[in-house]
Amino acid sequence: MIDISKYDKLLEDLKAMLFSERKSRKLNRIEPNFYKNIHSLFVELTEEKDRVVSSDITEYMEITKLLDEVRKNFKAFFQVRFEKIGKYSVYDEIEEYLYNMSPEEKNIMKELNAQMKGYYDDFTGITRQTEEIPEMPEEEKTVEEPPEKTITEPEIEEAPVAEEMVLVRIIKDQPPIAQPDRDYYLHRNDILYISGSFAKMLSSHGVCSYIEKGKKL
């Protein structure tokens, strides 16, 4: 069974880094292996989630929730961090900013800086001249017939087929479960309509039972 507490600690560290990066105008010091650790974290959680999907729905939902939290906070951190890196990349001298960066960030910074210098040289240099197109002699000019307009019928998109909804009774309390339509908060003896695929997954884990249509509750 996965040790959720270990990953909770990593998530709290990531949130602290995000908060600190937002408060600072400059780039904060980052560990050289930060992005490698983040990649390993995503891989481990995804593999663990896939492993328990058919055996333990409670643990599956806990890992899914944790994975979503890590992804959300890392995306926010990435956006704040690289907004600063993008700003510094337009400067002529970037060495002073490289000190607090990871190896991956240094490579990206140098690539961006080289591209920005190239764009600047394009805008300020006299390297591109427009060639004049010689005019055709009068007798060689031809009048082109306008192309015939063809009327095409608009394509009719087929409406997606709505999944059948089934009525079920919840047998035992469950943690929040994320589904494409919304998040579900299921409690024992709840009676509700849910999609057939969702009901099949819950039923296979003994979480719900089907209620026949027209049956008195």
Side-chain angles (χ1 to χ4, degrees), residues 118-131:
Y119 293 142
Y120 179 80
D121 290 341
D122 281 347
F123 296 146
T124 60
I126 311 175
T127 57
R128 290 182 285 187
Q129 297 180 354
T130 304
E131 296 182 0

Side-chain angles (χ1 to χ4, degrees), residues 138-196:
E138 189 69 27
E139 62 273 14
E140 294 182 11
K141 288 185 178 180
T142 58
V143 178
E144 295 184 359
E145 293 287 339
E148 295 184 2
K149 294 183 178 180
T150 58
I151 301 176
T152 58
E153 296 183 0
E155 296 182 0
I156 301 176
E157 297 183 359
E158 295 184 2
V161 179
E163 187 175 357
E164 181 183 2
M165 304 298 286
V166 296
L167 186 63
V168 299
R169 182 195 301 274
I170 304 302
I171 299 173
K172 52 187 176 181
D173 293 342
Q174 295 298 307
I177 301 177
Q179 288 294 295
D181 56 341
R182 64 184 177 90
D183 292 342
Y184 285 83
Y185 300 85
L186 306 177
H187 302 283
R188 183 182 178 188
N189 291 329
D190 283 352
I191 296 175
L192 70 163
Y193 278 99
I194 57 177
S195 66

Side-chain angles (χ1 to χ4, degrees), residues 3-19:
D3 182 7
I4 292 292
S5 61
K6 178 183 73 171
Y7 295 101
D8 284 338
K9 175 62 168 58
L10 295 174
L11 176 59
E12 291 305 314
D13 291 343
L14 178 58
K15 288 180 178 180
M17 291 180 65
L18 171 59
F19 178 79

